[in-house]
Amino acid sequence: MATLLENKIALEPARDLNRVPRWVMPAITFAVMAVDAAIAAACFLAAFKARQGVPVLSDTAWAWSKPFVPYAGILFFIVPVRLMMLAYQRVYRFSGAFSYTQQAIRIFNATLISSLLAVSWAFLFRGGFSFREFSYSRGVFVFDFVFSLIAFTLFHTLLRYTQTRFRQIGINLIPTLVVGSNSEVAVTVRELSERRYLGYRVIGVVRSNGESGESHVEIENSEKVPVVGTVDDLAEIIRRFSIQEVIITDNSIESEKLFDAMMQLGRQQRVEFRFAPSLFSVLPQKTSVEQIGVLPMVRLFREPLSDVQRFLKRLSDLLLATVASILTLPIWVVVAVIIRFDSRGPVLFKQERVGMDGRVFLCYKFRTMFADADDAIHREAYRKNIEGTEEANAGDPDEPVFGKVRNDPRITRSGKWLRRTSIDELPQILNVFRGEMSIVGPRPPIPYEVEEYAVWQRKRLDMKPGITGLWQVSGRNRLTFEEMVRVDLYYIENWSLLLDLKIILLTLPAVFRGDGAR
């Protein structure tokens, strides 16, 4: 134990070695996006010039030339769309391993989709009513696609090559832990250490089988990597060394310990968990196979939707949240005034909730309780409901069962009305914009509720929680906890945009009936 503690202390000064200030990477990303915007604009202008053979700018004034005026609206559309598609394809993700081939494929996909969107915009928009009779040249869009594909590919290839050169001298490396007690540990550490261009710095090894008297793991050429602790201390070690990647090589590790580590880390620490290749036979469903050097790695805790489905759901969330924000803005103002006059305290109530894969976030609601209300009775109610005790499920079937406390003395006068109408949940639209919640999804649980979950019940955390969901239109608080979990699992396994639409349409009458109070 003393040896492990000494290793932890010794590593404290080393963990910031060659680590650039936090603002550097966001600044670099912004600069790269600015260059991409310039490339997108330049390619479109060059495409127009190459196809039409006329100047872009007027010879007599600082303005567009007359032939280019109908294309100006396309220019202002195509630049942000190019950037959005590149961002969606994760081209601006500069941490971890990358492949030149995969990078080229992502750029091709982003360029193709954005070009198709630009064509659609051109033939639907037509400059409003100004150019209804104008016919855009298809050749301009073809040239623009070719020029953009070549320019983006060359620029990002050069950018990635420069990045590998910096990694060779120890810059832009992800602090990484390797977890395990088997022979795969040395293989994994050696691969990551020898191939620095992959972007990983192995901070230490975490043993999976209790305490270990070892102080280091031998690799090659007398190189050693320190043993910094055991899997029981995984969350603490991740926080201490600001770890961003955890690679697991041992299938003897209990999945509950990994989940508990995620819960302990909370919302501040963003960590990727990966399985090394020897564990393919024990993989959970939510995985994604990737290549890191010569080692295939499996990324855990992936959303149970394809990239296209995830994009469609996120797009629908943003559209619905925007419309809902505009339509309900007067309600926000009125409710804020009512809450301020009803009792002292802030208008918004912020509470830690558990999102997808156990990541903790701050959930926003209108305050319905007195300020500084004690949550002890709420904790006890949750515990009884999860256990399914007779006391929890006794009484009138129309009375609150799950997630509510009967005759709760902490609720204000306005709070009772806000809960009955579900208006208290409107601020969760902010969580949708932040990407922490969806419009439709499982109910967002509280951390002390999740602590009581059985392993199978944690599967409801496989998707982002929602403002409304199948649980709400299926009886909401009249459901027992086990019934609610099964409803959430059904939704996760059968998700579709049509199902989301049906749930949204069923939510409105449920709110008008006052199911929020039951």
Side-chain angles (χ1 to χ4, degrees), residues 40-104:
C43 287
F44 187 78
L45 297 177
F48 174 83
K49 176 68 174 177
R51 177 62 182 85
Q52 302 296 90
V54 295
V56 172
L57 297 176
S58 172
D59 294 331
T60 58
W62 182 251
W64 302 121
S65 64
K66 188 174 181 179
F68 185 76
V69 169
Y71 291 88
I74 310 303
L75 173 64
F76 293 122
F77 174 82
I78 201 170
V79 172
V81 167
R82 292 271 196 230
L83 296 182
M84 286 190 292
M85 287 298 101
L86 288 169
Y88 177 70
Q89 291 290 332
R90 296 188 297 168
V91 173
Y92 301 121
R93 183 178 177 270
F94 296 119
S95 60
F98 70 88
S99 162
Y100 287 106
T101 302
Q102 290 179 351
Q103 181 85 346

Side-chain angles (χ1 to χ4, degrees), residues 19 49 54 61 113 129 153 183-184 209 215 221 235 273 289 310-311 345 351 361 390 450 482-483 485 505 510:
R19 183 174 295 182
K49 176 68 174 177
V54 295
I113 295 173
F129 291 99
T153 301
S183 58
E184 292 291 332
N209 55 359
S215 61
N221 301 324
F273 287 80
V289 179
R310 187 167 63 252
F311 173 76
Q351 184 183 46
F361 67 97
E390 293 184 6
V450 177
E482 184 169 332
E483 290 171 337
V485 173
L505 295 177

Side-chain angles (χ1 to χ4, degrees), residues 378 381-382 385 400-405 419 443 446 449 477 479:
H378 198 241
Y382 265 104
N385 281 304
V401 176
F402 183 78
K404 305 287 184 182
V405 178
R419 290 191 172 199
R443 185 187 61 81
I446 302 173
E449 171 192 344
N477 297 310
L479 296 175

Side-chain angles (χ1 to χ4, degrees), residues 87-203:
Y88 177 70
Q89 291 290 332
R90 296 188 297 168
V91 173
Y92 301 121
R93 183 178 177 270
F94 296 119
S95 60
F98 70 88
S99 162
Y100 287 106
T101 302
Q102 290 179 351
Q103 181 85 346
I105 293 173
R106 289 173 178 172
I107 291 174
F108 175 82
N109 291 337
T111 306
L112 178 62
I113 295 173
S114 56
S115 291
L116 293 176
L117 290 174
V119 171
S120 301
W121 174 259
F123 287 93
L124 291 175
F125 172 63
R126 292 186 180 276
F129 291 99
S130 302
F131 310 110
R132 284 180 299 174
E133 306 301 325
F134 183 80
S135 179
Y136 288 98
S137 171
R138 294 175 177 82
V140 171
F141 297 100
V142 173
F143 277 117
D144 177 56
F145 169 74
V146 174
F147 291 167
S148 297
L149 180 61
I150 295 173
F152 283 132
T153 301
L154 290 176
F155 172 63
H156 282 275
T157 300
L158 177 61
L159 188 67
R160 290 298 188 174
Y161 174 76
T162 304
Q163 183 182 19
T164 60
R165 303 301 296 177
F166 276 103
R167 285 180 171 179
Q168 295 288 1
I169 60 175
I171 297 176
N172 187 231
L173 302 180
I174 295 178
T176 305
L177 286 179
V178 178
V179 182
S181 298
N182 54 3
S183 58
E184 292 291 332
V185 171
V187 175
T188 302
V189 173
R190 181 168 58 250
E191 176 68 13
L192 298 182
S193 299
E194 291 179 350
R195 301 171 184 255
R196 279 196 168 185
Y197 63 84
L198 295 174
Y200 296 89
R201 174 187 287 115
V202 180
I203 298 297

Side-chain angles (χ1 to χ4, degrees), residues 230-484:
T230 66
V231 72
D232 295 327
D233 305 316
L234 184 57
E236 177 191 349
I237 296 170
I238 289 173
R239 279 194 298 264
R240 181 186 294 266
F241 302 124
S242 301
I243 298 299
Q244 297 176 23
E245 294 267 354
V246 177
I247 297 177
I248 303 156
T249 67
D250 196 337
N251 60 6
S252 65
I253 300 175
E254 299 177 10
S255 59
E256 288 190 20
K257 290 188 177 182
L258 297 179
F259 189 87
D260 289 340
M262 290 284 294
M263 288 292 296
Q264 293 177 44
L265 291 171
R267 64 179 183 276
Q268 300 298 330
Q269 193 85 28
R270 297 288 183 174
V271 184
E272 293 283 1
F273 287 80
R274 301 179 189 271
F275 270 140
S278 63
L279 304 181
F280 285 141
S281 60
V282 294
L283 294 179
Q285 291 183 349
K286 289 181 61 182
T287 59
S288 174
V289 179
E290 300 174 354
Q291 188 82 12
I292 297 181
V294 299
L295 297 176
M297 288 287 175
V298 181
R299 184 172 155 197
L300 303 183
F301 307 120
R302 291 300 301 268
E303 192 171 353
L305 303 177
S306 67
D307 287 343
V308 174
Q309 290 174 323
R310 187 167 63 252
F311 173 76
L312 291 175
K313 185 167 177 62
R314 180 60 179 156
L315 181 62
S316 67
D317 282 340
L318 292 175
L319 292 175
L320 290 172
T322 301
V323 173
S325 299
I326 297 172
L327 295 179
T328 62
L329 183 58
I331 299 177
W332 287 61
V333 176
V334 172
V335 170
V337 173
I338 292 175
I339 293 175
R340 294 293 295 184
F341 277 97
D342 186 36
S343 62
R344 67 175 182 84
V347 172
L348 291 182
F349 171 69
K350 294 181 288 186
Q351 184 183 46
E352 285 193 342
R353 294 294 181 108
V354 181
M356 188 174 71
D357 298 328
R359 300 187 188 277
V360 182
F361 67 97
L362 284 179
C363 181
Y364 298 98
K365 300 179 72 172
F366 283 124
R367 182 173 59 82
T368 59
M369 295 185 181
F370 294 102
D372 303 322
D374 186 8
D375 66 353
I377 58 176
H378 198 241
R379 286 174 176 263
E380 182 64 15
Y382 265 104
R383 185 188 63 79
K384 291 178 180 179
N385 281 304
I386 292 174
E387 292 177 355
T389 61
E390 293 184 6
E391 180 183 355
N393 297 303
D396 190 329
D398 287 335
E399 283 295 309
V401 176
F402 183 78
K404 305 287 184 182
V405 178
R406 294 183 176 92
N407 302 317
D408 195 336
R410 303 169 300 165
I411 301 178
T412 63
R413 289 174 299 174
S414 62
K416 294 178 181 178
W417 171 73
L418 291 173
R419 290 191 172 199
R420 184 169 62 252
T421 58
S422 297
I423 290 177
D424 63 316
E425 297 177 355
L426 271 181
Q428 291 175 13
I429 292 174
L430 300 175
N431 293 113
V432 175
F433 282 121
R434 289 164 58 93
E436 298 158 338
M437 294 182 64
S438 290
I439 297 294
V440 181
R443 185 187 61 81
I446 302 173
Y448 56 72
E449 171 192 344
V450 177
E451 291 173 0
E452 304 291 336
Y453 281 7
V455 174
W456 73 273
Q457 293 166 342
R458 292 177 177 178
K459 289 179 66 63
R460 66 185 300 270
L461 303 178
D462 280 359
M463 188 177 281
K464 289 181 183 178
I467 298 177
T468 185
L470 197 55
W471 50 275
Q472 185 175 30
V473 300
S474 300
R476 199 169 184 176
N477 297 310
R478 290 189 293 270
L479 296 175
T480 65
F481 173 73
E482 184 169 332
E483 290 171 337
M484 184 206 68

